[in-house]
Amino acid sequence: MFIKKAKKCLISINNMKPLHKIALRFVAKDIADDLLHNFIGKSPTPDEVKAATEGLKLSLSPSHTLGGLLEIPENRARTHRYFANDIVDALYRVALKRDPDPVGFESHIRQLSEKGKLEEVISAFINSPEFRQKHRGSIPFMNQSMPAMTNDYDKATPEQLHLISDKIKKSWEHLGKTRAHHSVLTSKDFLPDSLQQNIGTFWKSGEIEVKEIEAILNRHNVNLNEVNTAIEYGCGVGRVTTQLAKQVKSMHAYDISRPHLDYAKEHAEEERVDIKFHLVSDPLGKLHPCDLFYSRIVFQHNPPPIILQLIKNAMESLNHGGIAIFQVPTYIKGYEFKLEEWMKKEHALDMQMHCIPQTAIFTMAESTGCKLLEMREDNWCGEPDRYLSNTFVVTKNTL
């Protein structure tokens, strides 16, 4: 109620005639004191009264005065807590374009009510996979004036590819043991301590992603339900794989991390779907022949020579007329990859971010008998002013 009273008071002030507004400046302090008392629910400090009084004297505007009040951290947090329900409801409808789900709604309400930090709640929404999927087309991308990168993507020997792969494998098996779901979608909602209350949202994101795959295929006259054999590379815990398996006739899932695959197998059993799982141990190993290859937010966590090899493996796995859909960053601001330096360095057991230039992908498609159907900028890496990420759709030429 105190906010409504404050707004009503200030709106009345704004509607006053000029002469009355001049007179009002002489009693601004008394009005500010009363306004603050209603707003923060207690007697204001002298500094608070001074700030509100100046706001009234300067502009007599609701936005200016309320803005001054909200500059005080205590008041800002209190307001966020007071309007937690309305704020979270609005974020769902504006940011995610849907009604709130009960579990997520209560989680955000609790976070805002306990901490009063609106910035953290907004960040959780705009960094969520659902927000990225729904707003990808409205997010600005990198400009055209970026300098060339140093990138030794095509200089690794087979022996070096194996050594690189071994290093990456250690990191991902560690992540699989410590925070498997969060390593797939890096929202704090999916960290071990928060996972149970958000697991429904995690699996739901896989359903949304499969609908996008279906739309891409439909644009090229392919019906997902008629796909004989599909591959997901980097299946993680089975978020997308289990949903794809419900649509295609035969599903193969590959991952470099055994702990992730264990979770994926468990989820497949829960969903009662048949999936053939493969643990990747050789980056040069051939994949099962397929009519659909899919990989997203996977290639980017491998150094460029591995990315190039994985793209080659994907394109070579396609049957004639088959389609590959994969996402990979093609430019990172300030990025460089020097093979020998990377090989010598000790790396933390954590995920890395890498990229490969578009021209390498075009060349690989041509050399493997494939052609490009689509190349779209996306926001799967986040930070569009730093990362240029693309989703590629290619097909194997028919005989």
Side-chain angles (χ1 to χ4, degrees):
M1 285 297 296
F2 59 87
I3 296 291
K4 290 182 179 178
K5 288 181 180 179
K7 285 184 177 179
K8 187 175 181 181
C9 172
L10 288 167
I11 290 169
S12 297
I13 292 171
N14 265 11
N15 292 332
M16 281 183 172
K17 295 179 181 179
L19 185 61
H20 291 174
K21 287 185 177 183
I22 292 172
L24 181 65
R25 288 191 173 92
F26 290 98
V27 291
K29 183 178 178 181
D30 293 332
I31 292 176
D33 185 89
D34 184 62
L35 178 61
L36 275 167
H37 193 278
N38 280 296
F39 187 83
I40 62 178
K42 65 179 184 180
S43 298
T45 67
D47 286 342
E48 290 169 341
V49 173
K50 182 179 179 181
T53 302
E54 290 303 314
L56 281 169
K57 286 183 176 180
L58 285 171
S59 64
L60 302 176
S61 85
S63 59
H64 189 103
T65 306
L66 287 176
L69 298 175
L70 289 175
E71 285 302 312
I72 302 167
E74 180 187 352
N75 295 347
R76 187 162 57 244
R78 184 173 185 272
T79 305
H80 295 163
R81 286 192 290 269
Y82 190 85
F83 289 109
N85 283 50
D86 293 333
I87 290 171
V88 173
D89 183 80
L91 282 169
Y92 268 99
R93 299 182 190 284
V94 174
L96 303 186
K97 301 181 179 180
R98 65 174 173 87
D99 292 339
D101 59 275
V103 175
F105 187 76
E106 289 303 320
S107 175
H108 291 303
I109 291 292
R110 188 165 55 251
Q111 182 183 6
L112 195 54
S113 298
E114 291 174 359
K115 297 182 179 180
K117 293 184 178 180
L118 180 59
E119 296 83 358
E120 290 185 6
V121 176
I122 292 174
S123 179
F125 273 88
I126 65 175
N127 288 316
S128 69
E130 185 177 355
F131 179 87
R132 292 180 184 178
Q133 287 171 331
K134 291 182 175 178
H135 293 268
R136 218 168 301 145
S138 62
I139 297 174
F141 294 105
M142 194 177 297
N143 63 45
Q144 298 286 333
S145 60
M146 304 308 297
M149 294 182 297
T150 298
N151 193 330
D152 294 342
Y153 65 87
D154 58 352
K155 295 185 169 28
T157 66
E159 181 183 4
Q160 288 174 320
L161 285 173
H162 281 98
L163 291 172
I164 295 170
S165 182
D166 288 345
K167 289 175 180 283
I168 298 300
K169 187 180 186 70
K170 288 178 182 177
S171 292
W172 281 92
E173 294 202 327
H174 172 74
L175 291 169
K177 293 173 183 176
T178 56
R179 49 186 177 97
H181 295 75
H182 180 260
S183 70
V184 174
L185 294 177
T186 53
S187 165
K188 64 181 180 181
D189 288 344
F190 308 132
L191 285 167
D193 290 344
S194 308
L195 182 61
Q196 192 59 42
Q197 64 199 47
N198 296 301
I199 193 66
T201 303
F202 181 88
W203 297 126
K204 183 69 176 178
S205 70
E207 295 178 27
I208 295 170
E209 205 162 315
V210 169
K211 289 180 181 178
E212 186 171 318
I213 295 170
E214 191 169 14
I216 292 171
L217 293 175
N218 287 342
R219 290 200 292 272
H220 302 286
N221 301 312
V222 175
N223 189 325
L224 181 59
N225 296 120
E226 295 176 359
V227 170
N228 287 318
T229 305
I231 286 176
E232 185 185 15
Y233 191 92
C235 67
V237 298
R239 182 181 63 94
V240 175
T241 296
T242 50
Q243 298 305 318
L244 269 179
K246 296 174 183 178
Q247 305 267 24
V248 302
K249 296 174 183 177
S250 177
M251 186 74 215
H252 291 257
Y254 291 76
D255 205 278
I256 199 170
S257 164
R258 187 179 296 279
H260 283 84
L261 282 180
D262 289 340
Y263 279 112
K265 290 175 183 176
E266 181 182 336
H267 187 57
E269 290 176 3
E270 292 171 354
E271 294 291 300
R272 298 182 180 180
V273 291
D274 182 29
I275 301 171
K276 299 169 183 67
F277 291 99
H278 305 264
L279 178 64
V280 177
S281 56
D282 181 2
L284 302 176
K286 292 187 179 297
L287 304 177
H288 192 281
C290 66
D291 304 295
L292 171 65
F293 173 94
Y294 181 73
S295 187
R296 181 174 274 173
I297 52 176
V298 174
F299 291 172
Q300 63 195 35
H301 299 309
N302 295 273
I306 296 290
I307 296 177
L308 184 65
Q309 183 63 45
L310 296 180
I311 292 173
K312 180 183 180 183
N313 294 347
M315 292 182 179
E316 289 182 342
S317 75
L318 291 177
N319 294 323
H320 290 287
I323 289 181
I325 304 169
F326 59 90
Q327 169 270 337
V328 64
T330 53
Y331 191 95
I332 301 175
K333 192 181 293 185
Y335 175 87
E336 67 174 17
F337 178 79
K338 296 179 179 179
L339 178 61
E340 296 300 331
E341 288 185 8
W342 192 93
M343 296 292 295
K344 293 176 183 176
K345 187 177 177 181
E346 288 294 324
H347 298 278
L349 295 176
D350 203 351
M351 64 181 70
Q352 301 182 12
M353 285 295 291
H354 296 279
C355 65
I356 189 169
Q358 292 174 354
T359 183
I361 299 169
F362 300 150
T363 301
M364 183 59 71
E366 184 177 3
S367 69
T368 55
C370 295
K371 68 177 180 181
L372 185 69
L373 296 177
E374 293 184 19
M375 184 185 75
R376 305 284 293 275
E377 291 187 19
D378 58 55
N379 192 43
W380 280 100
C381 296
E383 298 183 68
D385 60 335
R386 182 185 177 200
Y387 294 98
L388 175 61
S389 176
N390 294 118
T391 293
F392 293 85
V393 183
V394 303
T395 185
K396 178 67 70 74
N397 295 325
T398 55
L399 293 173

